[in-house]
């Protein structure tokens, strides 16, 4: 895929250091490989001069894997508010000269042991605001660089701390733990991991309790099927269901419409255990139900899987449902697939917000293609009879 960008010289923190930067804003990154960055270089600058790349509010499920192939001297990566859910050592190994890594306000839940193990030039790391609940106990010890000056882990579930070698590198504010020793940071992470391990014992006990039918105190009815569930689990996982129950606290049953039985079975599995072996045939319906019920985490989970599942067969359906719920990344990916159906036409971007019009266009195209096919067959038949 191609993305639009702006090339300019940015003053980077700390000390406002100038870096020639490629900045991308408000575009969905739907593929792992970016073929080109569409933008005009400033005078006498080229791709080889780009030191930093900045993604801001660009929905992506994974980090593009060929950034250093285009910008060979890239040493700074900034990803802010892009919904990035995972980042691995293998991803970062593809940018071997990386000195500064800023992954802020995304949705990375786990930092692996080998995350920073290949970056020998690394100096600055910011992983703040990522909802991180687990960190590999060996991540700090496996850092390859002896040049590291700062690691910012503020505003994460598991830790709210910053390591810095010099005072001026600590971010403004006092609402986090300031650490001047990597060894101390490694110990804090290890202690947090042990605490989480003990918490998991409680999770397993609850999981076993939920498997016992005799403690289920609530019923969900879909058509002629009844599901025995636990009211407190439904309330905790879906604010929509919580509001339904709150408005009628004495009720012991809830009837749901427009959700297939097989889909609700998959949803229950996710509600209880955070596990969802998704059948592609149900994926779109699960996404729609997750949006209606606002089930925590499920919408994001299905979006990630749908991005990989978009094809000519389901692109219009996915565009229609994602336009209804305003999910830009799904809309862009499905619209790109629809564009492939019209290789001789240039579909305007405004059509992405008009799925009904696209349906009419595709129907008209199919009728026309069928008529052309029949004319061609008739011609070939008559020609063969000559």
């Amino acid at each position: 895929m191609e993305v639009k960008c702006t090339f300019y010289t940015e003053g980077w923190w700390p000390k406002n250091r100038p870096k020639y930067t490629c900045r991308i804003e408000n575009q969905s990154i739907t593929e792992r490989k970016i073929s080109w960055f569409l933008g005009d270089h400033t005078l006498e600058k080229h791709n080889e001069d780009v030191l930093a790349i900045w993604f801001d509010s660009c929905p992506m499920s994974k980090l593009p894997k060929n950034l250093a192939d285009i910008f060979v001297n890239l040493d700074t990566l900034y990803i802010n508010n892009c919904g990035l859910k995972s980042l691995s050592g293998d991803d970062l190994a593809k940018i071997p000269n990386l000195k500064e890594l800023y992954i802020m306000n995304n949705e990375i839940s786990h930092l692996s042991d080998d995350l920073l193990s290949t970056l020998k030039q690394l100096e600055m790391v910011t992983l703040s605001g990522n909802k991180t609940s687990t960190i590999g106990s060996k991540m700090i010890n496996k850092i390859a660089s002896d040049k590291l000056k700062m690691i910012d882990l503020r505003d994460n579930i598991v830790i709210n701390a910053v390591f810095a070698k010099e005072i001026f590198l600590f971010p403004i504010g006092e609402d986090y733990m300031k650490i001047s020793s990597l060894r101390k940071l490694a110990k804090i992470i290890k202690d947090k991991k042990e605490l989480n391990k003990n918490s998991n014992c409680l999770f397993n006990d609850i999981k076993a309790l939920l498997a016992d039918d005799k403690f289920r105190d609530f019923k969900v009815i879909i058509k002629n099927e009844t599901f025995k569930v636990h009211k407190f689990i439904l309330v905790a996982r879906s604010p929509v269901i919580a509001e339904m129950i709150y408005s009628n606290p004495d009720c012991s049953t809830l009837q749901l419409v427009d959700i297939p039985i097989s889909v609700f079975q998959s949803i229950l599995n996710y509600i209880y255990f955070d596990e969802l072996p998704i059948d592609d045939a149900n994926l779109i319906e699960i996404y729609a139900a997750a949006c209606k019920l606002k089930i925590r985490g499920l919408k994001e989970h299905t979006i990630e899987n749908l991005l990989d599942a978009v094809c000519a067969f389901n692109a219009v359906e996915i565009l229609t449902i994602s336009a209804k719920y305003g999910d830009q990344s799904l809309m862009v990916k499905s619209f790109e697939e629809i564009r492939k159906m019209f290789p001789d036409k240039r579909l305007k971007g405004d059509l992405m917000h008009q799925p009904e019009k696209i349906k009419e266009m595709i129907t008209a195209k199919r009728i026309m293609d069928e008529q052309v096919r029949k004319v061609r067959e008739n011609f070939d038949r008559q020609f063969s009879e000559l």
Side-chain angles (χ1 to χ4, degrees):
M1 67 175 297
E2 297 179 343
V3 297
K4 296 178 181 179
C5 67
T6 303
F7 292 104
Y8 67 110
T9 298
E10 169 83 13
W12 285 79
W13 180 87
K15 297 185 177 180
N16 203 33
R17 297 159 299 143
K19 290 195 177 195
Y20 190 52
T21 300
C22 171
R23 181 162 180 155
I24 306 96
E25 296 182 275
N26 301 309
Q27 296 177 62
S28 294
I29 309 301
T30 57
E31 298 179 17
R32 292 297 304 278
K33 187 174 182 179
I34 296 177
S35 58
W36 203 248
F37 290 85
L38 302 175
D40 296 324
H41 283 288
T42 58
L43 188 63
E44 296 182 352
K45 294 287 188 180
H46 308 280
N47 282 353
E48 293 78 7
D49 297 302
V50 173
L51 297 180
I53 186 165
W54 182 324
F55 292 97
D56 202 337
S57 301
C58 296
M60 64 175 74
S61 58
K62 293 184 179 179
L63 180 69
K65 59 185 179 181
N66 66 322
L67 299 178
D69 295 338
I70 299 174
F71 305 124
V72 295
N73 293 311
L74 188 68
D75 69 16
T76 300
L77 174 63
Y78 186 105
I79 300 179
N80 178 57
N81 191 33
C82 294
L84 188 65
K85 292 182 172 58
S86 65
L87 186 68
S88 70
D90 289 339
D91 293 330
L92 297 177
K94 295 178 174 64
I95 315 176
N97 298 320
L98 200 63
K99 293 181 180 179
E100 300 182 32
L101 176 66
Y102 304 94
I103 311 291
M104 306 164 62
N105 305 313
N106 288 279
E107 298 180 13
I108 299 172
S109 61
H110 174 68
L111 304 178
S112 62
D113 282 333
D114 67 344
L115 181 64
L116 307 175
S117 63
T118 62
L119 305 175
K120 297 183 180 180
Q121 306 299 320
L122 195 63
E123 298 177 4
M124 313 278 288
V125 180
T126 295
L127 297 163
S128 61
N130 275 291
K131 304 177 183 177
T132 301
S133 58
T134 60
I135 300 178
S137 57
K138 299 178 182 178
M139 187 188 83
I140 301 301
N141 296 331
K142 283 194 171 187
I143 292 175
S145 174
D146 58 3
K147 303 175 182 179
L148 192 70
K149 299 176 182 177
M150 187 269 287
I151 300 180
D152 183 349
L153 294 168
R154 285 175 299 158
D155 301 322
N156 284 296
I157 296 172
V158 69
I159 193 169
N160 182 31
V162 175
F163 155 77
K165 282 187 175 180
E166 300 180 60
I167 292 177
F168 75 90
L169 291 175
F170 284 110
I172 296 173
E174 300 294 332
D175 57 341
Y176 64 90
M177 186 184 307
K178 296 181 179 180
I179 302 170
S180 57
S181 164
L182 271 179
R183 181 178 296 180
K184 182 177 180 181
L185 178 61
K187 184 178 186 305
I188 291 172
I189 290 172
K190 183 179 179 181
D191 291 345
K192 292 281 187 180
K193 192 174 183 68
E194 288 298 318
L195 181 62
N196 286 341
K197 184 178 179 181
N198 293 334
S199 298
N200 284 338
C201 294
L202 176 61
F203 173 79
N204 290 331
D205 290 341
I206 293 175
K207 194 171 182 179
L209 174 66
L210 298 179
D212 194 333
D213 278 352
K214 66 185 178 185
F215 293 107
R216 297 176 185 261
D217 59 347
F218 199 75
K219 294 178 181 178
V220 175
I221 300 173
I222 298 179
K223 296 181 179 178
N224 58 347
E225 188 85 13
T226 299
F227 297 88
K228 295 177 67 177
V229 295
H230 299 78
K231 183 188 289 189
F232 79 96
I233 292 291
L234 295 184
V235 168
R237 297 291 264 172
S238 169
V240 172
I241 293 179
E243 182 60 31
M244 292 178 181
I245 293 175
Y246 179 77
S247 63
N248 190 7
D250 296 328
C251 73
S252 59
T253 62
L254 181 66
Q255 190 156 3
L256 296 178
V257 296
D258 299 329
I259 297 178
I261 292 172
S262 61
V263 169
F264 189 71
Q265 288 172 330
S266 295
I267 288 174
L268 274 184
N269 197 60
Y270 183 84
I271 284 176
Y272 274 81
F273 308 124
D274 271 342
E275 298 169 355
L276 190 61
I278 295 181
D279 182 346
D280 285 347
N282 287 333
L283 197 56
I284 297 174
E285 291 172 311
I286 292 173
Y287 164 76
C291 292
K292 290 176 185 175
L293 300 177
K294 296 183 180 179
I295 299 168
R296 305 187 197 284
L298 182 56
K299 177 182 175 181
E300 293 74 17
H301 188 93
T302 51
I303 287 175
E304 186 174 351
N305 284 275
L306 277 172
L307 286 171
D308 294 331
V310 175
C311 62
F313 177 77
N314 60 22
V316 176
E317 186 179 4
I318 291 177
L319 177 64
T320 302
I321 195 70
S322 58
K324 179 179 180 179
Y325 293 107
D327 288 311
Q328 190 72 13
S329 59
L330 274 179
M331 291 171 65
V332 170
K333 185 62 182 286
S334 54
F335 189 63
E336 286 178 355
E337 195 65 38
I338 290 167
R339 275 178 163 162
K340 296 176 185 177
M341 302 178 192
F342 299 86
D344 301 328
K345 306 290 183 183
R346 183 171 178 82
L347 301 188
K348 294 182 179 180
D350 292 346
L351 279 172
M352 184 167 59
H353 302 279
Q354 303 176 59
E356 293 303 321
K357 189 170 183 178
I358 288 178
K359 287 180 183 178
E360 293 175 4
M361 292 171 59
I362 291 176
T363 299
K365 184 179 185 299
R366 286 172 179 166
I367 292 173
M368 184 179 68
D369 290 345
E370 180 63 17
Q371 289 174 344
V372 170
R373 184 187 66 80
K374 289 180 179 179
V375 170
R376 183 178 290 114
E377 287 180 353
N378 186 45
F379 175 80
D380 290 343
R381 184 171 57 254
Q382 292 182 24
F383 185 81
S384 64
E385 293 172 354
L386 293 179

